[in-house]
Amino acid sequence: MEYILIIISAILVNNIVLTQFLGICPFLGVSNKIATSLGMGAAVLFVMTLATIMTWLVQHYILMPLNIGYLQTIAFILVIAALVQMVEIVLKKVSPALYASLGVFLPLITTNCAVLGVAILVIQKDQSLLEGVIFAMSNALGFTLALVTFAGLREQLDLMEVPKGMRGIPIALVTAGILAMAFMGFAGIV
């Protein structure tokens, strides 16, 4: 039951993008097309899950035993940067089209505060490795849900007659705000 609460909470109630406001840069930057959003979501799922596993291990088997917990942020950033480089290399070989469509946003996963934020939250909440992995995967799925939903809304907005002063980023920001308010409706579930 505890794992189900973690999943529902991370995906809907405390959505990493829409309620905690982490990962806004890729949320706004990659959400023009649903296909690109799905690709970014898959990359974030992979990186966030692996980063959480690696950072949990670094925290519990290196930083804590050596009593150097103050290096947590730097160590976590280095682990995440290495993982993103690995994902970039794999995507370039496996799916050149997805690699090209993600463009500059793939390296942005390195600086995506959602990935670092989840890794730090797992440590702050003193979760076990399994709980941390479930939490990370759920947050990545919540990130993907928000990203794909927003991309679908933006694709619809491109078909609508939007006043000239609201076209582009202004209507995207208003839509993102309304989407965040919609997710606030899930607040009483967990």
Side-chain angles (χ1 to χ4, degrees), residues 58-59 62-77 120 123:
V58 165
Q59 178 73 23
I62 297 173
L63 299 179
M64 286 172 58
L66 296 175
N67 201 24
I68 53 173
Y70 55 88
L71 294 175
Q72 179 188 61
T73 304
I74 294 169
F76 286 11
I77 289 171
I120 290 173
I123 301 303

Side-chain angles (χ1 to χ4, degrees), residues 24-96:
I24 296 293
C25 182
F27 177 71
L28 293 174
V30 185
S31 59
N32 292 329
K33 296 190 181 335
I34 292 176
T36 307
S37 297
L38 283 170
M40 180 59 123
V44 168
L45 174 67
F46 180 72
V47 169
M48 195 177 283
T49 304
L50 271 180
T52 300
I53 293 169
M54 296 303 294
T55 55
W56 191 93
L57 293 172
V58 165
Q59 178 73 23
H60 286 85
Y61 292 107
I62 297 173
L63 299 179
M64 286 172 58
L66 296 175
N67 201 24
I68 53 173
Y70 55 88
L71 294 175
Q72 179 188 61
T73 304
I74 294 169
F76 286 11
I77 289 171
L78 290 173
V79 168
I80 292 167
L83 287 172
V84 170
Q85 288 300 311
M86 184 181 72
V87 168
E88 194 170 359
I89 291 168
V90 169
L91 270 182
K92 197 172 190 177
K93 299 255 186 219
V94 173
S95 179

Side-chain angles (χ1 to χ4, degrees), residues 120-178:
I120 290 173
L121 283 171
V122 166
I123 301 303
Q124 285 178 348
K125 292 181 177 194
D126 199 27
Q127 292 180 328
S128 68
L129 182 58
L130 179 60
E131 289 172 338
V133 169
I134 291 170
F135 182 71
M137 291 176 75
S138 301
N139 272 294
L141 290 173
F143 177 86
T144 305
L145 174 66
L147 198 62
V148 170
T149 303
F150 190 53
L153 291 171
R154 286 184 76 175
E155 283 183 3
Q156 283 294 348
L157 284 172
D158 288 342
L159 303 174
M160 308 304 270
E161 273 192 47
V162 177
K164 189 175 182 179
M166 290 295 290
R167 289 186 188 143
I169 296 296
I171 194 67
L173 291 174
V174 169
T175 305
I178 293 170

